[in-house]
């Protein structure tokens, strides 16, 4: 079957060459869409439920929020694991679903369950909300907003936080792949109503009446429309609050025909929301921190580049003396990782080509075999995009080009060997005709192609246990196994189609002569190998005992090895955590 297929390819060379060109175009197009990251994202299929309840203690958060939400989502379809954290003012629940369940469906299920428990949670305890569709690797960029030297007195932490929330955050929103912009540090600006209890008693107004009046006054109202000739005029009552003076003019009650305003019983002033943390830079001034969160399964390199391009335009719109400075950039890690992978692949390919020139001893044959390396890589890239596999340290770093071109080496070496034997036996015309070359390729392939194909298939089947991995292990190692398998399968197909055609087009009579370097190298290796092989055959028992002994020694050494799930990854950044005892004030912590 394989021999007939190779003969068919030799009879339709233009079709094979066109198909190869199509493979190149497909691979290049797929490479432009290939997601690039440093390491594979091993986060499981999860949905986080967040509830902010600043009025509740840890025990109350657990009793009033966390427990009811857990009970509501526990029996959702596809749930495999449920874990939660209850802290002062915050409830975090993580629901882990099976990998076969789409994330969008999992979020829909959780949303339906949350709508059924709102009545069971007090209104003062907050409303449970789902976290954005991101993962532990979603923090792709940290940036700080700070005032330049000489401008610190002009911009307070409150103003810096306002710039972050109302300018930077909004301008960075809408970038494809960005799911959220988080803000930390500074003071979140608010308008505060400082109530005077004595004034409330003097005017016989309760605090509840004051709160209800403020809540009811902050709205607009529509009043239909009026037609006047050909024109139409809408009637509206404007009541939205826009400045502290508007709040002071709100009417709380009517006493003896006279209105009681908010300004009569309270002082309206600018203030800030209660905060539980702060951000400092260089151990000196307070700054504002922003974190860009990436959408799950997005292309990290592409998203970071888009964020930086947008950030450059945002910088131009900021007030004078305020700058945005990225300080933790995932692109640096991605670039270093990809540079390592790229250098390893290039160096590996060059070494393979050098060894081919040394051992094959023929420039044309070596180039035909070496050309399988980029073609098989393009095939693997196309399949990676089709299967949603990102280019990272695990997927591309596992490629072995010596393994990939094995089938092509076998076919080319068998062809050259067969033609040399025919020439030495006087069965071959001189000069070598194209028909003789094609017949030699088909005859040589018929002797080795079955073994070559089975050898590649056996290597692919060796990865079956890796294909069966699930959970975190599967997310970490399956991309590696699939990428290697794609490259091997692509190289095998090329060795049956592309390699025979290229050999028939480029080989000639001079390719049947072995150069001196190759002859000396092969004779030297053979002189070292033949005595060892003869000794092993003459003493089979000793050979088996020696092999078994080496195996037992390797088992003993294996037990002394340490164990790590992944190798240490040095990102090049230093992250320092400082912890204070529980109950330490925020001002003391900042100091």
């Amino acid at each position: 079957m394989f021999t007939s297929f190779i003969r068919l390819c030799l009879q339709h060379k233009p079709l094979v060459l066109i198909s190869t060109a199509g493979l190149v175009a497909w691979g290049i197009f797929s490479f432009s869409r290939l997601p690039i990251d440093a390491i594979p994202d091993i986060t499981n299929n999860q949905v986080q439920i967040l509830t902010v309840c600043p009025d509740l203690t840890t025990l109350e958060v657990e009793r009033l929020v966390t427990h009811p939400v857990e009970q509501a989502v526990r029996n959702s379809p596809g749930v495999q694991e449920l874990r939660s954290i209850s802290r002062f003012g915050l409830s975090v629940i993580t629901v882990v679903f099976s990998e076969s369940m789409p994330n969008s469906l999992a979020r829909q299920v959780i949303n339906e369950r949350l709508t059924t428990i709102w009545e069971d949670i007090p209104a003062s305890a907050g409303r449970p909300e789902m976290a954005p569709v991101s993962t532990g690797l979603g923090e792709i960029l940290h940036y700080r907003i700070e005032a330049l030297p000489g401008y610190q007195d002009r911009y307070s932490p409150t103003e810096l936080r306002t710039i972050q929330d109302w300018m930077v955050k909004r301008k960075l929103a809408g970038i494809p792949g960005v799911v959220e912009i988080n803000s930390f540090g500074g003071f979140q600006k608010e308008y505060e109503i400082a109530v005077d209890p004595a004034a409330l008693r003097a005017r016989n107004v309760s605090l509840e009446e004051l709160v209800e009046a403020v809540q009811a006054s902050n709205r607009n109202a529509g009043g239909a429309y009026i037609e006047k000739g050909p024109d139409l005029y809408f009637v509206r009552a404007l009541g939205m609050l826009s400045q502290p003076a508007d709040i002071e003019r709100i009417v709380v009650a009517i006493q003896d025909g006279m209105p009681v305003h908010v300004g009569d019983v309270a002082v309206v002033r600018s203030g800030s929301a209660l905060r539980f943390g702060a951000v400092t830079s260089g151990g000196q001034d307070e700054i504002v921190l922003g974190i860009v969160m990436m959408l799950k399964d997005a292309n990290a390199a592409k998203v970071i580049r888009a964020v930086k391009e947008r950030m450059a335009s945002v910088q131009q719109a900021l007030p004078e003396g305020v700058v945005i400075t990225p300080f933790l950039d995932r692109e640096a890690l991605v670039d270093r990782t990809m540079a390592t992978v790229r250098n390893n692949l290039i160096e590996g390919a060059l070494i393979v080509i050098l060894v081919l020139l040394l051992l094959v001893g023929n420039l044309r044959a070596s180039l035909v075999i070496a050309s399988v390396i980029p073609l098989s890589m393009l095939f693997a890239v196309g399949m990676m995009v089709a299967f949603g596999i990102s280019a990272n340290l695990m997927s591309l770093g596992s490629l072995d080009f010596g393994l990939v071109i094995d089938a092509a080496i076998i076919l080319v070496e068998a062809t050259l060997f067969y033609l040399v034997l025919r020439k030495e036996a006087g069965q071959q015309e001189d000069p070598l005709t194209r028909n003789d070359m094609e017949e030699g390729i088909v005859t040589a392939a018929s002797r080795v192609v079955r073994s070559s194909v089975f050898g590649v298939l056996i290597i692919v089947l060796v990865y079956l246990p890796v294909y069966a991995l699930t959970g975190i292990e599967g997310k970490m190692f399956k991309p590696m196994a699939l990428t290697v398998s794609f490259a091997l399968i692509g190289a095998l197909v090329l060795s049956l189609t592309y390699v025979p055609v290229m050999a028939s087009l480029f080989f000639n009579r001079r390719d049947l002569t072995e150069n001196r370097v190759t002859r000396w190298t092969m004779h030297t290796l053979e002189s070292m190998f033949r005595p060892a092989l003869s000794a092993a055959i003459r003493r089979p028992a000793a050979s088996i005992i020696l092999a078994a002994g080496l195996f037992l020694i390797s088992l003993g050494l294996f037990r002394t090895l340490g164990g790590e799930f992944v190798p240490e990854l040095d990102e090049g950044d230093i992250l320092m955590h400082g912890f204070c005892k529980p109950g330490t004030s925020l001002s003391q912590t900042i100091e």
Side-chain angles (χ1 to χ4, degrees), residues 15 25 41 104 111 116 137 184 198 206 287 298 343 346 356 384 399 417 423 451 458-459 584:
L15 180 61
D41 193 342
S104 57
N111 185 58
T116 63
L137 294 179
F184 297 89
S206 65
I287 62 169
N343 294 338
I346 294 175
L356 286 175
M384 289 171 67
L399 287 178
F417 184 73
K423 180 180 179 181
S451 301
I458 289 172
I459 295 174
T584 304

Side-chain angles (χ1 to χ4, degrees), residues 29-43:
F29 174 73
S30 300
F31 188 79
S32 65
R33 301 172 53 204
L34 181 66
I36 300 175
D37 209 335
I39 56 176
D41 193 342
I42 61 175
T43 307

Side-chain angles (χ1 to χ4, degrees), residues 410-470:
I410 293 175
L411 181 63
V412 171
E413 281 282 4
T415 300
L416 293 177
F417 184 73
Y418 174 77
L419 294 176
V420 168
L421 287 182
R422 286 193 58 182
K423 180 180 179 181
E424 293 177 351
Q427 302 175 2
Q428 185 171 290
E429 298 179 3
D430 197 12
L432 182 65
T433 64
R434 191 62 55 192
N435 290 332
D436 292 336
M437 179 64 69
E438 294 181 2
E439 188 62 31
I441 293 173
V442 173
T443 304
S446 64
R447 300 179 179 181
V448 299
V449 66
R450 186 181 299 271
S451 301
S452 176
V453 171
F454 287 167
V456 173
L457 293 180
I458 289 172
I459 295 174
V460 173
L461 291 177
V462 167
Y463 288 99
L464 276 179
V466 182
Y467 301 146
L469 293 176
T470 59

Side-chain angles (χ1 to χ4, degrees), residues 549-571:
L550 293 175
F551 177 68
L552 294 176
I553 293 174
S554 67
L555 290 180
L557 295 175
F558 182 78
R559 296 181 59 184
T560 63
L561 293 176
E564 289 288 348
F565 179 65
V566 292
E568 180 180 350
L569 184 64
D570 184 5
E571 299 187 20

Side-chain angles (χ1 to χ4, degrees), residues 46-50 92-95 107 129-132:
Q46 61 177 234
V47 177
Q48 280 194 330
I49 304 172
L50 308 178
V92 180
I93 301 173
T94 302
V95 186
R107 295 178 67 86
E129 298 178 351
M130 288 184 291

Side-chain angles (χ1 to χ4, degrees), residues 370-388:
S371 64
V372 175
I373 294 177
L375 293 176
S376 61
M377 271 291 299
L378 292 174
F379 179 82
V381 168
M383 296 300 292
M384 289 171 67
V385 173
F387 280 77

